[in-house]
Amino acid sequence: MKNILVTGGAGYVGSHVIVSLLEQGYGAVSVDNFYNSSPKVYQRLRELTGKDFIDIEADVCDEAKMKEVMAKHDLWAVIHCAGYKAVPESVSKPLEYYQNNLGTTFSLCNAMRQTGVTRFVFSSSATVYGEPQFLPYTEEHPTGNCTNPYGMSKVMNERILTDMAAANPDWGVVLLRYFNPIGAHPSGRIGDAPGGIPNNIMPYILKVANGLLPVLPIAGDDYDTPDGTGLRDYLHISDLAEGHVAALRYLEDFTGSEAVNLGTGQSVSVRELIRGIEKTSGKTLPTEIKSRRPGDIAEARADVSKAKRLFGWETKKTLEEMCADAWRWASQNPQGYEGE
């Protein structure tokens, strides 16, 4: 059985990745410092899968600790999900974002070199593309025209990992450029649980639906789109998690580096997303039109043909399923993991 290190394994993406790994016969070793997550997720993961795994509380920037973990648990690959991810916060705290998001990668790469681990899957983001020169975004679209430190930290990490793969011919690296993951595990036991005021649209919608926030702000309704609101490529978190396992299978025989989009290839507006939650929750959500946010674009949509060609991966879940699973999670866990 191959053991996989999942950084940020108690987080939204990492926890769903662990489910997919365990269900498909991999061993999982989770490292998380709980900066923006809860250790309570681990017991739920064990209940969901009926399987055990290793969980370690540590900062991924701690290179000595990462070396110790890799050596002790005979790891085959790293899936790097840990990182700061709030775009507005990155603008006000650029140094912290660069220090953490790059520091974790430096730490992991150094530990890998010292322990002989040669496979790496990186949680990148469609934010690396910036303002679209064409749509849908293919992996050949220029990157680096980002409007915030969060996006630039992803671009820099991609370059570091691409250079490491070029310098180490036995390494295999996959850069997964996520579009907009939403939803939750169908059981309603794990999901997105950001602290404070959410920075992403779906957690904000769900908090309004639960009555925890009074009104849903819509950042601009004057875009050149069918209903005036921004269009994004939303994919179910479980499909995204399956994409990571598909990347691992690809790395069985691959060396070098590849950037691969993960999305549906379809775009959905903010208003469509709101209607989806209203339908599944039976509630009408109060909204308020606000001005556009700096750096926001009218549409972001993935060309997903490369993921299908290389990995045999494509999304399975519909928007209706994304909304139903998101609402099941939020209605059963209105305070996230802290409600227990």
Side-chain angles (χ1 to χ4, degrees):
M1 181 172 66
K2 288 185 169 70
N3 289 328
I4 314 299
L5 175 64
V6 182
T7 70
Y12 179 43
V13 174
S15 59
H16 287 82
V17 167
I18 288 174
V19 170
S20 291
L21 288 172
L22 296 177
E23 288 179 345
Q24 297 189 49
Y26 291 91
V29 179
S30 174
V31 174
D32 204 304
N33 64 357
F34 310 120
Y35 171 78
N36 191 31
S37 59
S38 170
K40 294 177 182 177
V41 72
Y42 289 142
Q43 183 56 39
R44 295 194 182 195
L45 291 178
R46 292 183 172 96
E47 292 169 0
L48 279 177
T49 63
K51 297 182 180 181
D52 200 9
F53 58 94
I54 306 297
D55 63 85
I56 298 162
E57 183 175 357
D59 190 328
V60 182
C61 289
D62 184 342
E63 183 181 319
K65 184 65 176 180
M66 293 307 98
K67 179 184 175 184
E68 175 192 316
V69 169
M70 289 185 193
K72 181 177 179 180
H73 297 289
D74 188 28
L75 293 171
W76 178 69
V78 173
I79 297 179
H80 184 23
C81 300
Y84 296 165
K85 64 175 187 175
V87 170
E89 185 181 60
S90 79
V91 176
S92 61
K93 297 181 177 180
L95 184 59
E96 288 83 351
Y97 267 67
Y98 289 126
Q99 190 167 30
N100 183 75
N101 290 2
L102 299 179
T104 52
T105 300
F106 293 146
S107 169
L108 291 167
C109 286
N110 276 322
M112 287 170 65
R113 287 197 301 182
Q114 295 172 66
T115 57
V117 180
T118 60
R119 296 295 186 268
F120 198 111
V121 177
F122 177 58
S123 294
S124 193
S125 167
T127 58
V128 300
Y129 294 125
E131 186 78 31
Q133 297 183 16
F134 55 83
L135 285 174
Y137 291 111
T138 68
E139 289 82 357
E140 287 70 43
H141 188 286
T143 62
N145 185 26
C146 301
T147 58
N148 57 77
Y150 166 75
M152 281 307 302
S153 76
K154 294 294 188 183
V155 173
M156 293 175 184
N157 270 322
E158 285 197 2
R159 181 57 187 265
I160 291 163
L161 293 167
T162 300
D163 289 347
M164 286 299 295
N168 297 275
D170 58 335
W171 278 36
V173 172
V174 174
L175 313 168
L176 294 179
R177 293 173 177 167
Y178 306 172
F179 277 68
N180 296 76
I182 59 173
H185 191 275
S187 65
R189 294 294 288 157
I190 60 170
D192 197 2
I197 304 295
N199 287 290
N200 296 322
I201 182 70
M202 181 58 98
Y204 208 118
I205 291 173
L206 294 170
K207 287 207 170 191
V208 173
N210 264 328
L212 299 173
L213 290 170
V215 65
L216 175 67
I218 296 176
D221 67 346
D222 56 350
Y223 287 102
D224 185 17
T225 61
D227 65 18
T229 63
L231 295 165
R232 295 293 181 269
D233 187 337
Y234 296 99
L235 75 159
H236 196 290
I237 187 67
S238 295
D239 283 334
L240 180 74
E242 291 295 315
H244 291 71
V245 179
L248 285 180
R249 290 201 202 96
Y250 180 71
L251 286 172
E252 294 271 2
D253 303 308
F254 174 77
T255 55
S257 60
E258 287 281 4
V260 180
N261 290 337
L262 294 185
T264 64
Q266 306 295 320
S267 53
V268 173
S269 76
V270 172
R271 290 195 188 280
E272 287 178 288
L273 203 59
I274 294 168
R275 286 198 296 272
I277 293 298
E278 287 181 331
K279 180 179 178 182
T280 194
S281 68
K283 302 185 178 187
T284 300
L285 306 186
T287 61
E288 182 180 4
I289 305 302
K290 298 284 192 178
S291 58
R292 299 184 187 187
R293 296 180 302 187
D296 266 0
I297 55 179
E299 182 176 9
R301 176 166 47 92
D303 181 313
V304 293
S305 58
K306 188 175 183 180
K308 186 172 184 180
R309 176 166 48 85
L310 295 187
F311 300 165
W313 175 90
E314 56 187 337
T315 58
K316 300 172 184 174
K317 304 277 192 175
T318 64
L319 178 63
E320 187 175 6
E321 288 173 295
M322 296 180 215
C323 291
D325 289 343
W327 175 242
R328 185 178 302 109
W329 154 255
S331 59
Q332 293 177 10
N333 305 270
Q335 303 295 334
Y337 297 106
E338 301 314 310
E340 292 187 342

